[in-house]
Amino acid sequence: MSSATNHSATQIIPPARGFRGSLMLPGDKSISHRYAMLAGFAEGTSRITNFSTGADPHSSLACMASLGAKISVEAKTISVTGTAGQFIQPSTQLDCGNSGSTMRMLAGLVAAQPATFRFIGDESLTLRPMERIRKPLQQMGARIDLTDGHAPMTVHGTPLTAIDFEAPIASAQVKTAVLFAGLQANGTTSIAERVRTRDHSEHALRAFGATLQRDDDRLSILGGQKLHAIDATVPGDMSSAAFFLCASLLFEDSNLVLDSLGMNPTRASLLDVIISMGGVIKVLDIQDAHGEMVGTIQVNRGRTLRGMDISGQLAAQLIDEIPVLAAIAPYTENGIRIRDAKELRVKESDRIALVVKNLRAMGAEVTEHEDGMDIPGNQALHGASIDSGMDHRIAMAFSIAALRAHGPTEILGSEAASISFPEFYTWLDELAIR
Ligand code: S3P
């Protein structure tokens, strides 16, 4: 994918001497999307606290309002009065902004509804592959028009029939689109996943009252189930925490406490990676919230910062965290090698190409592969101009690499961070010791 390069804001990140502090992260982006969509579909009024502050989940909320849900915001709680399973014909296009999750998952939720839905997105989203959801939804009977495999996308709602779906790629968004369609299809839809992807949709569907079965790697859902409103608090976002967890690995006397952090096992591989790289993690508390594990952790760094290999299932489960791990790889003892991560090329930007370009801009040696990269360790980086490609995770990943660089780094298109983490630069400034 080519990246959009209409930068407007620039953030200067000076090097730091240390990294310390404690915080409670804003609500998880993935869970916020699902709660917004299912609350909008359910009967009754759901109250969702600590909803993500990122622009993406707010695109989902705005789409749900266009579909007939009533939404109000009071302090940190969002109330969503749902449509009791019956969306209205939207009077406008469903604008998903930069959010692939909104477009892909919502396509599944509307596919059985008797109306026509036109989905649009920004320049980056318009380049992202949508055939991956059209295929299974079409097998269920859905009628979906794409533009050359991409958005703009029109879903002509129609009754659906259950299918047995073997997921050809590891994608929680595709799985969710099929689950949301299966919830409204005739019969029992089953989904087999070779690689276990994040299971927030399964927990959210159960929280809203649906019954789902899981036998080994096969998940099934009976159509025609009704959903009911819930009160919920969204756990803190592990993928946002990743930036600060990696920052804490860069300084020997770092200390980071993260409160109310989402630690769902399908998202928590990052914590194992942090430990294998030399981080020391203490779990201070752990609880269950609507099937999601939520906890408080304390992170310090050991004596060394080790590198590692990331491939196979681990690459799929760390897909959102690879940019920041790659960005700190030059500071490790033995580097990081990444494979089986081709999906990175079709995210908000081509994240392999942009990570390689920006590491080189900072003076690093790196070898690019079609499905990953090799970044040797023990390299010193210098401050540089970073092209975020208007991709939130690239902007934030290189802000972390900047903490150990010689001289200041400027992040072009720094405002992209607000897609998932608007507070990022303010908090980075508070935690970094200068
Ligand atoms: C997400 C799934 C992943 C991830 C994205 C959020 C989700 O995408 O990269 O940031 O909430 O289900 P894919 O499903 O395309 O792997």
Side-chain angles (χ1 to χ4, degrees):
M1 264 184 67
S2 65
S3 58
T5 41
N6 301 324
H7 306 133
S8 51
T10 297
Q11 189 81 34
I12 307 290
I13 313 286
R17 289 184 293 111
F19 198 80
R20 299 179 80 83
S22 72
L23 41 100
M24 191 176 137
L25 290 149
D28 184 84
K29 174 164 93 67
S30 292
I31 298 174
S32 296
H33 280 298
R34 287 152 172 89
Y35 283 179
M37 291 181 200
L38 296 182
F41 184 78
E43 178 167 24
T45 301
S46 295
R47 270 166 287 271
I48 307 167
T49 303
N50 200 36
F51 192 84
S52 166
T53 49
D56 269 9
H58 284 266
S59 292
S60 286
L61 274 180
C63 288
M64 297 320 294
S66 300
L67 292 168
K70 302 270 174 291
I71 293 161
S72 62
V73 183
E74 204 178 296
K76 286 199 91 182
T77 300
I78 293 189
S79 297
V80 181
T81 302
T83 56
Q86 286 177 321
F87 293 146
I88 58 167
Q89 168 66 57
S91 57
T92 55
Q93 310 190 89
L94 297 171
D95 188 349
C96 305
N98 191 243
S99 174
S101 300
T102 305
M103 191 173 283
R104 296 193 179 121
M105 303 198 294
L106 202 49
L109 199 60
V110 302
Q113 297 278 317
T116 302
F117 308 92
R118 175 94 174 148
F119 288 82
I120 57 166
D122 70 6
E123 195 185 333
S124 148
L125 183 51
T126 302
L127 293 169
R128 298 183 66 188
M130 291 297 146
E131 197 58 56
R132 53 182 64 192
I133 50 143
R134 174 161 68 173
K135 251 195 172 150
L137 294 176
Q138 217 163 244
Q139 276 174 34
M140 299 176 86
R143 286 177 44 228
I144 299 178
D145 302 328
L146 296 176
T147 316
D148 209 11
H150 309 117
M153 170 174 80
T154 304
V155 180
H156 307 272
T158 187
L160 302 180
T161 311
I163 56 165
D164 292 331
F165 177 58
E166 308 278 332
I169 41 171
S171 166
Q173 294 175 0
V174 175
K175 169 175 68 177
T176 302
V178 176
L179 274 174
F180 285 0
L183 178 69
Q184 301 165 72
N186 209 343
T188 299
T189 295
S190 81
I191 302 167
E193 285 194 290
R194 252 171 291 142
V195 173
R196 183 100 183 247
T197 62
R198 61 190 73 191
D199 61 2
H200 304 302
S201 300
E202 294 90 309
H203 291 303
L205 279 161
R206 289 193 181 105
F208 280 89
T211 301
L212 273 82
Q213 242 81 51
R214 180 176 270 285
D215 298 305
D216 297 329
D217 68 346
R218 192 166 282 279
L219 193 62
S220 33
I221 185 163
L222 174 65
Q225 301 189 58
K226 303 280 174 257
L227 301 187
H228 304 287
I230 61 168
D231 284 353
T233 299
V234 182
D237 196 317
M238 176 67 84
S239 301
S240 297
F243 300 103
F244 295 153
L245 288 168
C246 285
S248 71
L249 289 181
L250 297 182
F251 302 97
E252 272 182 35
D253 58 350
S254 63
N255 183 46
L256 180 65
V257 176
L258 300 174
D259 193 6
S260 307
L261 179 66
M263 302 215 299
N264 178 317
T266 61
R267 293 284 295 286
S269 308
L270 177 69
L271 299 183
D272 299 329
V273 167
I274 296 288
I275 292 167
S276 72
M277 290 175 75
V280 179
I281 299 184
K282 265 194 225 140
V283 178
L284 305 179
D285 169 55
I286 192 143
Q287 288 175 27
D288 175 284
H290 289 302
E292 296 287 348
M293 304 243 270
V294 189
T296 300
I297 60 170
Q298 180 180 23
V299 188
N300 303 100
R301 185 188 124 163
R303 252 178 358 97
T304 54
L305 175 56
R306 292 185 291 272
M308 62 178 307
D309 291 352
I310 299 172
S311 63
Q313 167 131 344
L314 186 59
Q317 290 183 335
L318 282 178
I319 201 76
D320 290 343
E321 290 80 41
I322 287 178
V324 66
L325 290 167
I328 64 162
Y331 303 126
T332 62
E333 279 182 350
N334 51 334
I336 295 188
R337 290 147 300 280
I338 299 157
R339 291 292 186 285
D340 304 322
K342 205 170 165 196
E343 273 292 302
L344 287 173
R345 294 209 181 264
V346 291
K347 292 291 179 188
E348 286 83 331
S349 67
D350 177 341
R351 287 183 174 160
I352 294 178
L354 267 184
V355 166
V356 168
K357 172 181 166 177
N358 288 318
L359 277 173
R360 286 183 181 146
M362 296 183 82
E365 181 195 320
V366 45
T367 308
E368 179 171 357
H369 296 277
E370 187 47 30
D371 65 343
M373 59 198 107
D374 291 345
I375 308 150
N378 261 323
Q379 305 192 65
L381 303 186
H382 55 73
S385 264
I386 296 300
D387 173 11
S388 76
M390 293 310 288
D391 180 330
H392 55 132
R393 299 205 197 278
I394 298 293
M396 293 187 278
F398 282 88
S399 301
I400 301 305
L403 299 178
R404 276 267 307 267
H406 296 290
T409 296
E410 56 172 11
I411 310 288
L412 308 178
S414 55
E415 75 273 30
S418 65
I419 285 296
S420 59
F421 196 178
E423 306 80 353
F424 174 75
Y425 298 107
T426 309
W427 291 7
L428 179 64
D429 211 37
E430 279 170 22
L431 294 167
I433 301 165
R434 297 214 158 88

